[in-house]
Amino acid sequence: MTNRAVIKTDKAPAAIGSYSQAVKVDNTVYLSGQIPLNPQSMEIVSSDFTEQARQVFSNLRAVCEAANGSLSHIVKLNLYLTDLSDFAAVNEVMAEFFEQPYPARAAVGVKELPKGALFEAEGVMVI
Ligand SMILES: C=C(N)C(=O)O
């Protein structure tokens, strides 16, 4: 029998649709996609890609912590960029937030993201 719980924190943006910020099943936490919303204002923080990426990882960190984990517990990340010329920038921001060994990852260019965001990241954490 699995042990399932919904994770909810006001330190990360509230869900903007019909989903939970994260769902925990036993020791595994499925982290919903974070876009660069300020958790208080629920507005995109900046038009600058690097600032958006920092906000996304800050939001993901808050959800990890609400599930009693941390970014270092993330085993897989999926990144979505509306412009793959920001690939180098996202690697730099990840190096600010993550320590080696880094999680497994995919990075994909997409046409559009919710609220006009330039970047979204979602992943899986094992605690
Ligand atoms: C922002 C999202 N995670 C969504 O719309 O699913």
Side-chain angles (χ1 to χ4, degrees):
M1 182 113 168
T2 57
N3 182 12
R4 181 177 146 143
V6 167
I7 307 300
K8 191 166 193 289
T9 176
D10 59 11
K11 296 194 168 116
I16 57 168
S18 45
Y19 61 95
S20 300
Q21 290 169 320
V23 176
K24 183 170 182 245
V25 180
D26 296 329
N27 295 336
T28 303
V29 182
Y30 299 89
L31 304 155
S32 288
Q34 284 293 333
I35 58 172
L37 296 173
N38 175 294
Q40 281 82 44
S41 68
M42 292 298 288
E43 300 288 335
I44 298 273
V45 287
S46 165
S47 57
D48 177 73
F49 180 85
T50 294
E51 287 180 38
Q52 289 204 9
R54 287 189 179 123
Q55 187 65 46
V56 163
F57 289 117
S58 168
N59 291 343
L60 270 183
R61 180 170 56 201
V63 179
C64 290
E65 289 173 355
N68 297 316
S70 68
L71 289 177
S72 66
H73 291 97
I74 292 180
V75 295
K76 177 72 198 297
L77 272 177
N78 295 320
L79 310 183
Y80 306 97
L81 297 83
T82 58
D83 185 348
L84 280 174
S85 69
D86 291 318
F87 186 74
V90 84
N91 284 325
E92 284 174 22
V93 174
M94 272 194 65
E96 292 173 17
F97 281 80
F98 291 83
E99 290 176 3
Q100 296 195 41
Y102 296 132
R105 191 186 87 176
V108 179
V110 296
K111 182 167 170 275
E112 258 185 312
L113 288 166
K115 303 232 178 223
L118 303 177
F119 180 55
E120 177 168 345
E122 48 113 351
V124 178
M125 172 173 84
V126 178
I127 51 179

